[in-house]
Amino acid sequence: MRCPYCGSTNTQVKDSRPSEDHSTIRRRRVCADCGGRFTTFERVQLRELTVIKRSGRRMPFDRDKLMRSIQIALRKRPADPERVERMVSGIVRRLENTGENDIKSETIGRLVMEALKSLDDVAYVRFASVYKNFREAKDFEILLGELAATDEDEDGPRSKAAAPAED
Ligand SMILES: [Zn+2]
């Protein structure tokens, strides 16, 4: 494994341990040339996935990239890292189990939204606003309205959108 600091391949594993659910092996490594320390993760990969972007561009599926976009949505939110890790693993397993090697980016976005919705409302709204490419405040209002409706139905409708006008 190449050192991320100096590029040397002269690195050694100092410590290996499985994650709590034994789905990952975490290895602490040290670079013999610059002394830099870093961690690598070893995981099962059932198949090679390709993401098809909205533009039609194809790119290899990247779990770390998925994790980063989720962490951006979860920024400063109280979320247990182990739970987030499990959530990402669950999303990846579901993608692998679709039986397709080509996955539309919309499919990934939809799975992330489903998962975040049960984890953290704020992160869900943040992610959705990027994923759905919100441009106007009313897009947020619609989404927040949906959240409120699933959280507390007893409040009743807060606004009557698109009520027919009387002459
Ligand atoms: Zn190094």
Side-chain angles (χ1 to χ4, degrees):
M1 181 64 62
R2 188 178 291 279
C3 170
Y5 306 109
C6 74
S8 166
T9 51
N10 193 10
T11 60
Q12 290 162 353
V13 174
K14 282 285 156 198
D15 176 50
S16 295
R17 65 178 66 166
S19 63
E20 222 169 71
D21 63 355
H22 289 258
S23 66
T24 332
I25 305 282
R26 175 198 294 259
R27 299 190 201 284
R28 293 288 303 153
R29 295 173 186 261
V30 64
C31 173
D33 290 345
C34 77
R37 287 165 188 276
F38 58 102
T39 305
T40 56
F41 294 90
E42 186 180 305
R43 291 187 184 85
V44 175
Q45 182 174 322
L46 297 180
R47 59 172 75 224
E48 290 285 342
L49 298 175
T50 300
V51 181
I52 316 292
K53 309 282 273 183
R54 265 178 249 232
S55 62
R57 247 181 80 210
R58 303 167 61 85
M59 47 201 336
F61 174 73
D62 182 345
R63 187 191 195 278
D64 293 338
K65 214 166 143 186
L66 175 65
M67 177 56 102
R68 277 198 299 279
S69 66
I70 289 171
Q71 276 169 344
I72 289 168
L74 281 168
R75 223 173 137 227
K76 300 199 173 164
R77 298 295 301 165
D80 172 17
E82 284 271 353
R83 189 170 167 198
V84 175
E85 186 67 35
R86 276 202 303 279
M87 182 182 108
V88 172
S89 294
I91 292 170
V92 175
R93 283 290 170 268
R94 286 164 75 190
L95 293 173
E96 288 173 336
N97 286 338
T98 60
E100 303 284 336
N101 290 336
D102 292 354
I103 308 280
K104 286 185 182 162
S105 57
E106 289 100 305
T107 306
I108 301 173
R110 192 166 40 75
L111 290 182
V112 172
M113 282 177 57
E114 274 176 21
L116 283 178
K117 201 168 183 175
S118 61
L119 185 73
D120 187 280
D121 281 355
V122 171
Y124 168 69
V125 171
R126 284 179 186 161
F127 185 88
S129 69
V130 175
Y131 167 65
K132 293 189 165 177
N133 201 9
F134 285 2
R135 296 224 166 80
E136 296 175 47
K138 76 167 165 37
D139 294 331
F140 273 109
E141 281 168 29
I142 292 166
L143 188 78
L144 292 172
E146 282 171 14
L147 270 182
T150 52
D151 282 352
E152 34 181 327
D153 278 329
E154 68 271 20
D155 271 3
R158 291 193 185 156
S159 62
K160 286 185 180 162
E166 303 255 335
D167 286 332

